[in-house]
Structure formats: structure tokens, C-alpha cells
Amino acid sequence: MARGRFILLEGCDRAGKSTQCAMLVKALQERGHSVELCKFPERTTTIGQMIHAYLTNSKELDDKAIHLLFSANRWEAMQAMKRKLEQGTHLVVDRYAYSGVAFSTAKGLDLKWCMNPDKGLVRPDLTLFLDLPTAEAERRGGFGEERYEKRELQEKVREVFLRLKAKEWVVVDARKSIEAMHQEILNEAEQKIREGEQAKEDALLE
Ligand code: ADP
Ligand code: FDM
Ligand code: MG
């Protein structure tokens, strides 16, 4: 069986990541794939509960301390994620280390310092960056509820994301309709999954 693919959706708040992750998981399951959703921060763990308290303003934490907690929240998920990928389950992931670096750097921490704790995490096979101008994000439901949902910070976050953007990232225009974005994201994901299966077949024939 081919290794599962790690499909990451990144982007600023309200770009539609969670909506698209849920739609992608459902569509891939309907096509017979084994697929699971992961999200970061994963707020159900002990570390995740501390992150949740910080994001909802019920707890204050030093910028570097919260950065390290976000990273630790990924590390504590790593073994289970690796196991699922090895078993052939695809993972659709809602935010990851790029969000970690983008938000903390936008707050004023050094980019290189921010990247260090995430070094060695399992690497995504496909990164889809959902790009939405901040002014549009503000008009969407729920904006402003949590600590980081402020225009000035969001604009800086978007700038850091665009600096981090590697050439293999797929940029999705998040101003499009939910359905149009879904079709584009599903196509990219299926193509990546087919590539993985093909590589495995080729390896068997050698
Ligand atoms: P994120 O997880 O990136 O913060 P969500 O998926 O939670 O974003 O979507 C934020 C809000 O915007 C929700 O109210 C959602 O229904 C709406 N929304 C999502 N995608 C679109 C879209 N393509 N066009 C218009 N509104 C959208
Ligand atoms: N966030 C998310 C970070 O600051 N660092 C991280 O490593 C991650 C994964 O937490 F404002 C921020 C980004 C966002 C908030 O929001 C989480 P959602 O709605 O749970 O994605
Ligand atoms: Mg979300």
C-alpha cells in the first residue's frame, strides 16, 4: 500500500481553511480513500487547552512561551500522524508550522528563531495556501472573536506567509466561491494522491 499523503491547508484567519478541510475530507472519503482531519492548534490536549486559554484572552503568556507551546502541540501529534501516513491514511491538515512562524514573526519575534522548534516535523506533500485580502476576511463571519483577529496583525501575517511561500506551494484565490475553491483543492489533492500511488507501483515493478 502506498504511504498516505499529507495535504496541508494554510492561510490567514477566515480564508476558508476549516470549511475546505471538511469538504475535502468528505469528498476523498466518498471516493473510497482512507483520510483523516488534523488541525493545529489541537485544542483538546493539555497543551492545546493552554493555547485555547491564551487565544480566548483568558490567559496571558510571553510571546516566546506561546510560540513554543504551538510547536509542542505539533510535536505531540507527530508519532500518531506518522503512523497513519505509514498505514496509507491521507491526512488533511488545517494549519501547521507555517502558521506558527507567520503569527509569531508578525508579532515581532525573529523569523529564524521561530523556525527552529519546528525543524524535523513531518513535511507536507502538498501545501495549499488560501490567500484572502484582509479587508475581505474582516467581512466574514466570526472575525474579531479571538486574540489575533485584528486587521494590522493579520496584514503582517499575510506578508510573512507570502515571504515563506515556497515555489511548490499552490496558491488558491480565497475570494472565489466555496464550491469553486473546493473543486480546485480536490483536483490538486487527487493529483497528489495519484502521484503517490503511481510512484509505489513503479517501485514494485523495478
Ligand atoms: P478559516 O478556517 O480559514 O478561518 P472558515 O472556513 O472558518 O475559515 O470560514 C470563515 C467564514 O467565512 C465562515 O463563516 C465561512 O462560512 C465563510 N466562508 C468560507 N469560505 C468562504 C468563501 N469562499 N466565500 C465566502 N465566505 C466563505
Ligand atoms: N496560530 C496557529 C499560531 O499563532 N501559531 C500556530 O502555530 C498555529 C497553528 O492560532 F489565530 C494562531 C492562528 C490563529 C489561531 O485559530 C488558531 P484556528 O481558528 O483554530 O485556526
Ligand atoms: Mg479555521
Side-chain angles (χ1 to χ4, degrees):
M1 190 197 291
R3 181 182 166 278
R5 299 283 105 178
F6 178 156
I7 300 160
L8 170 63
L9 273 69
E10 273 285 13
C12 298
D13 292 41
R14 309 294 151 193
K17 299 178 300 299
S18 299
T19 303
Q20 294 299 328
C21 281
M23 289 172 84
L24 180 60
V25 167
K26 183 164 176 280
L28 291 175
Q29 280 171 347
E30 282 168 2
R31 284 159 176 76
H33 294 289
S34 168
V35 52
E36 284 186 29
L37 175 68
C38 301
K39 76 177 307 288
F40 294 106
E42 171 49 67
R43 301 187 192 214
T44 57
T45 64
T46 305
I47 294 170
Q49 286 164 18
M50 290 167 74
I51 293 171
H52 178 71
Y54 175 80
L55 289 172
T56 51
N57 296 308
S58 66
K59 187 180 176 66
E60 292 306 314
L61 276 167
D62 175 80
D63 287 343
K64 286 184 173 163
I66 185 66
H67 181 78
L68 294 174
L69 287 179
F70 274 114
S71 178
N73 187 234
R74 286 184 276 281
W75 279 107
E76 65 180 342
M78 244 350 75
Q79 288 217 11
M81 287 173 69
K82 278 188 181 162
R83 201 164 45 240
K84 282 176 188 158
L85 292 169
E86 279 158 15
Q87 288 166 350
T89 298
H90 306 298
L91 299 179
V92 171
V93 181
D94 187 345
R95 291 195 193 274
Y96 199 51
Y98 303 108
S99 276
V101 173
F103 280 79
S104 293
T105 306
K107 286 163 75 182
L109 297 187
D110 176 67
L111 180 86
K112 284 270 177 297
W113 187 91
C114 289
M115 287 169 75
N116 261 323
D118 285 319
K119 286 200 174 135
L121 290 174
V122 61
R123 185 185 289 277
D125 297 298
L126 172 64
T127 299
L128 295 143
F129 177 65
L130 278 47
D131 191 26
L132 186 68
T134 310
E136 295 228 11
E138 278 182 329
R139 287 197 284 273
R140 291 196 176 167
F143 190 89
E145 281 168 7
E146 288 200 338
R147 186 183 284 263
Y148 292 153
E149 291 177 328
K150 301 188 179 75
R151 173 188 276 241
E152 203 185 328
L153 180 69
Q154 291 285 329
E155 271 168 2
K156 284 193 193 145
V157 168
R158 184 170 177 232
E159 278 168 30
V160 187
F161 267 131
L162 293 172
R163 260 162 66 199
L164 291 172
K165 183 161 72 71
K167 61 178 185 320
E168 66 273 13
W169 283 20
V170 175
V171 180
V172 178
D173 182 350
R175 293 169 302 185
K176 295 197 297 195
S177 73
I178 289 177
E179 195 48 45
M181 287 174 73
H182 173 61
Q183 283 311 322
E184 185 177 343
I185 290 169
L186 179 59
N187 282 344
E188 295 288 346
E190 285 196 295
Q191 193 181 320
K192 193 51 78 175
I193 288 170
R194 272 197 302 273
E195 278 171 25
E197 287 164 354
Q198 189 61 50
K200 187 76 181 178
E201 273 174 35
D202 291 348
L204 280 173
L205 295 174
E206 275 162 16

